[in-house]
Amino acid sequence: SCGDLRNATDGFSSSNLIGSGSFGTVFKALLPTANKVVAVKVLNLQRRGAMKSFLAECESLKDIRHRNLVKLLTACSSIDFQGNQFRALIYEFMPNGSLDMWLHPEEVEEIHRPSRTLTLLERLNISIDVASVLDYLHVRCHEPIAHCDLKPSNVLLDDDLTARVSDFGLARLLLKFDQESFLNQLSSAGVRGTIGYAAPEYGVGGQPSIHGDVYSFGVLILEMFTGKRPTNELFGGNFTLHSFTKSALPERVLDIADKSILHSGLRVGFPIAECLTLVLDVGLRCCEESPTNRLATSEAIKELISIKERFF
Ligand code: ADP
């Protein structure tokens, strides 16, 4: 309840701060009545778009359930002790933080820094998890939803490194789409961190679609296996990923790949170049310029699972 939350938030301080995002600050807290550790996103209502984002998150997450979605436990709207409006979203806590922290440990504060890097198999499993959740959102849940903000900081990792997609602040129920409000949200969100992940058609007023999510998923795969952010010169920056192409992949793959994969837990003689070429090729096909040429999520899952079965 809100009362429990207020008690729990009483103790908020920089020591239980776990991150801050576009619309709010995330704290780790204990809900005493449920004896459960939770992540509380306290919204910064001063931020333009924060209220819309709060409502989008509640609307999108209220009826959906999937093992690779972070669970929104409750949403809270109340008045704090100083009489200010207080809105918060309470999620289950993900002890392994975000995928972003694992991919770019050098940018993470020491106390939050993972103690090792992700292996090739772990990265493959995470990409299958994320593709499964997209497939669920796009075709299996009662009303199709486009996430619209898929990126490594929105992929959280459970204690066994199961991926859970979070942050539905820009998500759209596709049947109730309202283009103007989406564009407002996108600009008020300040696309910082999302440039590079958003599909090219979004930059020119395109409507949110399942194909847009597939593009972001492709970028996520490329980032996961190269270790490079999409704004890195390898990808040519904003919205273009074409400085390495499908045909150049087989020869260049070991230069392009995240070096930490090459040193992590592979058996002697593992055909790493072959495996990485296939995975990166899936990523590139998700990033096709034309939305309808992109791989369907069901195809991406099938291909990633078959790569996993073939090499592990
Ligand atoms: P953004 O707006 O940047 O996507 P969020 O506000 O959703 O980010 O979250 C900020 C950061 O807080 C995340 O990158 C993640 O590290 C952390 N975080 C968010 N939710 C949780 C959670 N449920 N469990 C653990 N950490 C979380």
Side-chain angles (χ1 to χ4, degrees):
S1 74
C2 274
D4 293 340
L5 176 67
R6 258 180 289 160
N7 293 337
T9 56
D10 244 3
F12 281 0
S13 70
S14 55
S15 63
N16 46 28
L17 174 78
I18 44 181
S20 47
S22 351
F23 297 117
T25 311
V26 183
F27 295 92
K28 180 177 177 181
L30 179 73
L31 273 191
T33 44
N35 197 22
K36 198 175 173 76
V37 178
V38 291
V40 181
K41 189 195 277 190
V42 180
L43 288 160
N44 175 358
L45 294 173
Q46 263 52 287
R47 257 332 263 274
R48 266 188 64 218
M51 202 50 210
K52 277 184 192 163
S53 150
F54 175 78
L55 295 172
E57 184 116 17
C58 297
E59 175 71 8
S60 313
L61 286 177
K62 73 180 187 320
D63 302 317
I64 57 176
R65 233 154 247 282
H66 186 276
R67 72 181 279 272
N68 301 115
L69 270 180
V70 73
K71 253 192 224 124
L72 176 66
L73 300 171
T74 185
C76 174
S77 170
S78 185
I79 306 289
D80 73 10
F81 295 115
Q82 285 138 10
N84 299 318
Q85 213 188 26
F86 175 95
R87 302 251 173 182
L89 294 158
I90 296 104
Y91 306 87
E92 59 183 343
F93 177 70
M94 291 292 117
N96 274 313
S98 74
L99 175 61
D100 193 73
M101 294 161 45
W102 286 79
L103 297 180
H104 308 287
E106 68 291 346
E107 295 172 24
V108 179
E109 260 183 88
E110 208 168 326
I111 48 159
H112 296 301
R113 192 175 301 152
S115 56
R116 62 176 182 84
T117 54
L118 293 169
T119 65
L120 176 57
L121 178 59
E122 285 165 342
R123 290 175 210 230
L124 207 44
N125 283 332
I126 291 169
S127 52
I128 294 168
D129 285 347
V130 176
S132 311
V133 97
L134 287 186
D135 190 51
Y136 168 77
L137 293 174
H138 294 168
V139 296
R140 290 181 208 291
C141 70
H142 60 292
E143 268 181 304
I145 294 175
H147 182 281
C148 297
D149 199 18
L150 187 64
K151 55 184 175 178
S153 66
N154 287 337
V155 175
L156 304 177
L157 300 173
D158 209 342
D159 50 2
D160 62 355
L161 296 177
T162 301
R164 310 278 196 115
V165 173
S166 78
D167 204 344
F168 280 67
L170 292 179
R172 276 284 162 270
L173 296 177
L174 289 171
L175 301 181
K176 296 183 190 161
F177 166 63
D178 161 2
Q179 183 173 8
E180 204 183 321
S181 79
F182 173 73
L183 292 176
N184 286 339
Q185 282 197 18
L186 202 61
S187 55
S188 62
V191 241
R192 211 180 70 117
T194 304
I195 286 180
Y197 301 95
E201 63 274 16
Y202 290 174
V204 289
Q207 304 192 349
S209 73
I210 57 179
H211 307 297
D213 280 353
V214 170
Y215 182 93
S216 309
F217 175 65
V219 178
L220 190 115
I221 292 200
L222 298 177
E223 180 167 348
M224 240 201 292
F225 293 89
T226 63
K228 312 273 191 311
R229 292 194 185 277
T231 41
N232 184 283
E233 73 283 359
L234 176 66
F235 297 141
N238 307 356
F239 306 136
T240 48
L241 290 156
H242 305 296
S243 65
F244 72 84
T245 54
K246 199 169 151 65
S247 57
L249 257 185
E251 302 99 72
R252 289 195 54 209
V253 74
L254 294 182
D255 300 331
I256 292 167
D258 185 341
K259 297 295 169 284
S260 69
I261 299 179
L262 309 181
H263 306 294
S264 63
L266 293 175
R267 63 174 194 276
V268 177
F270 184 93
I272 185 153
E274 202 184 326
C275 177
L276 283 170
T277 301
L278 290 171
V279 178
L280 290 172
D281 182 55
V282 171
L284 284 176
R285 280 184 290 145
C286 291
C287 290
E288 285 285 341
E289 191 80 19
S290 158
T292 48
N293 284 349
R294 293 174 200 150
L295 220 52
T297 44
S298 55
E299 279 304 306
I301 298 173
K302 245 193 261 160
E303 294 206 19
L304 292 166
I305 290 177
S306 95
I307 295 170
K308 178 176 158 180
E309 284 172 352
R310 178 164 159 207
F311 292 94
F312 290 93

